[in-house]
Amino acid sequence: MLALLGVLGLVAGRYVRTLAAAFAPDPADHRAEARAALRALVRTVPVPAWPPLPEVVTAVVTVLVAWRAGLPYVYAAVAGTALAFVDWRTSRLPDVITLPSYPILALTLLPTGELPRALLGGLALAAAYGVLWFVRPADLGLGDVKLAGLIGLAGGALGWQAWAVAALGGQFLGALYAVVLLATRRATRATQFPFGPFMLLGALAGLCLGG
Protein backbone atom coordinates (compact mmCIF):
# COMPACT_ATOMS: atom_id res chain seq x y z
CA MET A 1 0.00 0.00 0.00
CA LEU A 2 2.75 2.47 0.91
CA ALA A 3 4.60 1.69 -2.33
CA LEU A 4 1.43 2.42 -4.30
CA LEU A 5 0.95 5.67 -2.39
CA GLY A 6 4.53 6.58 -3.23
CA VAL A 7 3.82 6.16 -6.94
CA LEU A 8 0.60 8.15 -6.62
CA GLY A 9 2.55 10.79 -4.72
CA LEU A 10 4.97 11.11 -7.63
CA VAL A 11 2.03 11.61 -9.98
CA ALA A 12 0.42 14.13 -7.63
CA GLY A 13 3.76 15.90 -7.37
CA ARG A 14 3.64 16.61 -11.10
CA TYR A 15 0.45 18.58 -10.47
CA VAL A 16 2.09 20.26 -7.48
CA ARG A 17 4.83 21.40 -9.87
CA THR A 18 2.19 22.85 -12.19
CA LEU A 19 0.51 24.74 -9.36
CA ALA A 20 3.82 26.08 -8.09
CA ALA A 21 4.50 27.58 -11.52
CA ALA A 22 0.95 28.83 -12.12
CA PHE A 23 0.85 31.56 -9.48
CA ALA A 24 2.67 34.89 -9.41
CA PRO A 25 3.75 37.01 -6.43
CA ASP A 26 1.41 39.89 -7.33
CA PRO A 27 -1.08 39.04 -10.10
CA ALA A 28 -3.16 41.75 -11.72
CA ASP A 29 -6.29 39.57 -11.76
CA HIS A 30 -6.63 36.80 -9.17
CA ARG A 31 -9.63 35.19 -10.89
CA ALA A 32 -7.90 35.09 -14.25
CA GLU A 33 -4.85 33.58 -12.57
CA ALA A 34 -7.01 30.90 -10.92
CA ARG A 35 -8.64 30.02 -14.25
CA ALA A 36 -5.22 29.81 -15.90
CA ALA A 37 -3.99 27.54 -13.11
CA LEU A 38 -6.99 25.24 -13.61
CA ARG A 39 -6.36 25.06 -17.35
CA ALA A 40 -2.70 24.28 -16.69
CA LEU A 41 -3.71 21.43 -14.37
CA VAL A 42 -6.02 19.97 -17.01
CA ARG A 43 -3.24 20.08 -19.61
CA THR A 44 -0.62 18.57 -17.29
CA VAL A 45 0.75 15.18 -18.30
CA PRO A 46 1.20 13.21 -15.05
CA VAL A 47 4.80 12.24 -15.72
CA PRO A 48 7.54 13.55 -13.38
CA ALA A 49 9.72 16.28 -14.86
CA TRP A 50 13.40 16.96 -14.20
CA PRO A 51 14.67 17.73 -11.65
CA PRO A 52 11.86 15.90 -9.87
CA LEU A 53 11.97 17.86 -6.60
CA PRO A 54 8.20 18.56 -6.25
CA GLU A 55 7.39 15.00 -7.26
CA VAL A 56 9.80 13.39 -4.80
CA VAL A 57 8.84 15.71 -1.93
CA THR A 58 5.13 15.06 -2.52
CA ALA A 59 5.70 11.31 -2.62
CA VAL A 60 7.78 11.30 0.58
CA VAL A 61 5.29 13.49 2.47
CA THR A 62 2.35 11.40 1.27
CA VAL A 63 3.94 8.13 2.35
CA LEU A 64 5.05 9.53 5.72
CA VAL A 65 1.61 10.94 6.53
CA ALA A 66 -0.24 7.82 5.38
CA TRP A 67 2.11 5.61 7.40
CA ARG A 68 2.02 7.63 10.60
CA ALA A 69 -1.46 9.22 10.55
CA GLY A 70 -3.53 7.13 8.10
CA LEU A 71 -5.18 7.36 4.70
CA PRO A 72 -7.71 10.07 5.69
CA TYR A 73 -4.82 12.52 5.90
CA VAL A 74 -3.42 11.94 2.41
CA TYR A 75 -5.32 14.90 0.92
CA ALA A 76 -3.87 17.12 3.64
CA ALA A 77 -0.38 15.88 2.71
CA VAL A 78 -0.75 16.66 -1.01
CA ALA A 79 -2.54 19.98 -0.58
CA GLY A 80 -0.06 21.05 2.08
CA THR A 81 2.89 20.24 -0.16
CA ALA A 82 1.34 22.25 -2.99
CA LEU A 83 0.76 25.24 -0.72
CA ALA A 84 4.33 25.04 0.60
CA PHE A 85 5.81 25.15 -2.90
CA VAL A 86 3.51 27.96 -4.01
CA ASP A 87 4.18 30.07 -0.91
CA TRP A 88 7.94 29.56 -1.05
CA ARG A 89 7.99 30.72 -4.65
CA THR A 90 5.47 33.58 -4.49
CA SER A 91 5.00 34.45 -0.78
CA ARG A 92 1.29 33.76 -1.31
CA LEU A 93 -1.22 31.16 -0.17
CA PRO A 94 -3.91 31.42 -2.87
CA ASP A 95 -7.54 31.26 -1.75
CA VAL A 96 -8.31 29.07 -4.75
CA ILE A 97 -6.35 26.29 -3.00
CA THR A 98 -6.94 26.99 0.70
CA LEU A 99 -10.68 27.71 0.73
CA PRO A 100 -11.88 24.62 -1.20
CA SER A 101 -9.56 22.55 0.98
CA TYR A 102 -11.79 23.18 4.00
CA PRO A 103 -14.80 21.11 2.82
CA ILE A 104 -12.56 18.57 1.07
CA LEU A 105 -10.45 18.01 4.18
CA ALA A 106 -13.55 17.80 6.38
CA LEU A 107 -14.98 15.09 4.12
CA THR A 108 -11.74 13.10 4.07
CA LEU A 109 -11.60 13.25 7.87
CA LEU A 110 -15.12 11.88 8.31
CA PRO A 111 -13.90 8.23 8.52
CA THR A 112 -11.77 9.12 11.56
CA GLY A 113 -14.91 9.76 13.61
CA GLU A 114 -13.21 12.84 15.02
CA LEU A 115 -14.73 15.57 12.85
CA PRO A 116 -16.15 17.58 15.81
CA ARG A 117 -12.71 17.72 17.44
CA ALA A 118 -11.17 18.54 14.05
CA LEU A 119 -13.55 21.47 13.57
CA LEU A 120 -12.80 22.72 17.07
CA GLY A 121 -9.07 22.41 16.40
CA GLY A 122 -9.38 24.30 13.12
CA LEU A 123 -11.39 27.09 14.72
CA ALA A 124 -8.98 27.38 17.65
CA LEU A 125 -5.82 27.59 15.54
CA ALA A 126 -7.39 29.98 13.02
CA ALA A 127 -8.50 32.19 15.91
CA ALA A 128 -5.02 32.15 17.44
CA TYR A 129 -3.43 33.15 14.14
CA GLY A 130 -6.15 35.73 13.63
CA VAL A 131 -5.11 37.40 16.86
CA LEU A 132 -1.46 37.31 15.77
CA TRP A 133 -2.41 38.85 12.42
CA PHE A 134 -4.41 41.61 14.17
CA VAL A 135 -1.47 42.40 16.46
CA ARG A 136 1.23 42.35 13.76
CA PRO A 137 -0.33 42.45 10.28
CA ALA A 138 3.02 43.40 8.72
CA ASP A 139 4.55 40.08 9.80
CA LEU A 140 1.66 37.69 9.14
CA GLY A 141 -0.75 37.48 6.22
CA LEU A 142 -4.40 36.52 6.09
CA GLY A 143 -3.34 33.56 3.97
CA ASP A 144 -1.45 32.26 7.00
CA VAL A 145 -4.61 32.59 9.11
CA LYS A 146 -6.61 30.55 6.58
CA LEU A 147 -3.85 27.96 6.40
CA ALA A 148 -3.84 27.73 10.20
CA GLY A 149 -7.47 26.63 10.10
CA LEU A 150 -6.60 23.74 7.79
CA ILE A 151 -3.66 22.71 9.96
CA GLY A 152 -5.88 22.85 13.03
CA LEU A 153 -8.44 20.64 11.30
CA ALA A 154 -5.92 17.93 10.50
CA GLY A 155 -4.13 18.12 13.83
CA GLY A 156 -7.34 18.24 15.83
CA ALA A 157 -8.70 15.11 14.17
CA LEU A 158 -5.59 13.19 15.13
CA GLY A 159 -5.53 14.40 18.73
CA TRP A 160 -4.65 17.38 20.89
CA GLN A 161 -1.02 16.31 21.14
CA ALA A 162 -0.73 16.34 17.35
CA TRP A 163 -2.57 19.67 17.29
CA ALA A 164 -0.14 21.22 19.77
CA VAL A 165 2.93 19.98 17.87
CA ALA A 166 1.49 21.28 14.60
CA ALA A 167 0.56 24.63 16.14
CA LEU A 168 3.86 25.27 17.90
CA GLY A 169 6.15 23.54 15.42
CA GLY A 170 5.59 26.11 12.70
CA GLN A 171 6.35 28.99 15.06
CA PHE A 172 9.52 27.29 16.28
CA LEU A 173 10.81 26.42 12.80
CA GLY A 174 10.03 29.89 11.44
CA ALA A 175 11.85 31.53 14.34
CA LEU A 176 14.81 29.16 13.92
CA TYR A 177 15.05 30.03 10.21
CA ALA A 178 14.97 33.76 11.03
CA VAL A 179 17.77 33.32 13.57
CA VAL A 180 19.90 31.44 11.02
CA LEU A 181 19.35 34.21 8.45
CA LEU A 182 20.37 36.86 10.97
CA ALA A 183 23.39 34.88 12.20
CA THR A 184 24.67 34.37 8.66
CA ARG A 185 23.93 38.02 7.77
CA ARG A 186 21.68 36.97 4.92
CA ALA A 187 18.85 39.10 6.28
CA THR A 188 17.98 41.88 8.68
CA ARG A 189 15.23 42.17 11.30
CA ALA A 190 13.05 43.80 8.64
CA THR A 191 13.45 40.95 6.12
CA GLN A 192 10.21 39.16 5.22
CA PHE A 193 10.03 35.51 4.22
CA PRO A 194 7.12 33.14 3.51
CA PHE A 195 5.88 31.60 6.74
CA GLY A 196 3.52 29.01 5.24
CA PRO A 197 6.19 26.37 4.54
CA PHE A 198 7.28 26.43 8.17
CA MET A 199 3.68 26.16 9.37
CA LEU A 200 3.28 23.16 7.09
CA LEU A 201 6.51 21.54 8.30
CA GLY A 202 5.16 21.91 11.82
CA ALA A 203 1.92 20.29 10.68
CA LEU A 204 3.88 17.42 9.13
CA ALA A 205 5.69 16.91 12.43
CA GLY A 206 2.37 16.92 14.27
CA LEU A 207 0.81 14.33 11.98
CA CYS A 208 3.87 12.08 12.04
CA LEU A 209 4.56 12.30 15.77
CA GLY A 210 0.95 12.25 16.83
CA GLY A 211 -0.10 9.35 14.64
Side-chain angles (χ1 to χ4, degrees), residues 159-183:
W160 291 117
Q161 180 180 350
W163 184 91
V165 172
L168 299 176
Q171 294 287 333
F172 172 77
L173 292 171
L176 181 62
Y177 180 70
V179 168
V180 171
L181 288 181
L182 290 172

Side-chain angles (χ1 to χ4, degrees), residues 58-86:
T58 305
V60 170
V61 171
T62 299
V63 169
L64 276 175
V65 169
W67 172 45
R68 296 296 300 153
L71 290 177
Y73 299 87
V74 166
Y75 174 79
V78 175
T81 305
L83 285 168
F85 273 99
V86 171

Side-chain angles (χ1 to χ4, degrees), residues 40-155:
L41 284 177
V42 172
R43 293 195 300 264
T44 296
V45 178
V47 176
W50 189 265
L53 180 61
E55 292 85 347
V56 170
V57 171
T58 305
V60 170
V61 171
T62 299
V63 169
L64 276 175
V65 169
W67 172 45
R68 296 296 300 153
L71 290 177
Y73 299 87
V74 166
Y75 174 79
V78 175
T81 305
L83 285 168
F85 273 99
V86 171
D87 195 25
W88 190 257
R89 179 177 171 272
T90 67
S91 294
R92 288 177 57 212
L93 293 162
D95 285 349
V96 71
I97 302 176
T98 54
L99 296 184
S101 289
Y102 274 92
I104 296 173
L105 184 56
L107 285 173
T108 62
L109 293 177
L110 269 177
T112 67
E114 299 292 350
L115 188 56
R117 188 173 63 191
L119 294 174
L120 181 58
L123 180 62
L125 196 56
Y129 269 79
V131 171
L132 291 175
W133 171 78
F134 183 78
V135 171
R136 49 176 193 178
D139 297 330
L140 201 68
L142 274 176
D144 297 319
V145 178
K146 298 167 190 174
L147 175 60
L150 293 173
I151 292 172
L153 271 172

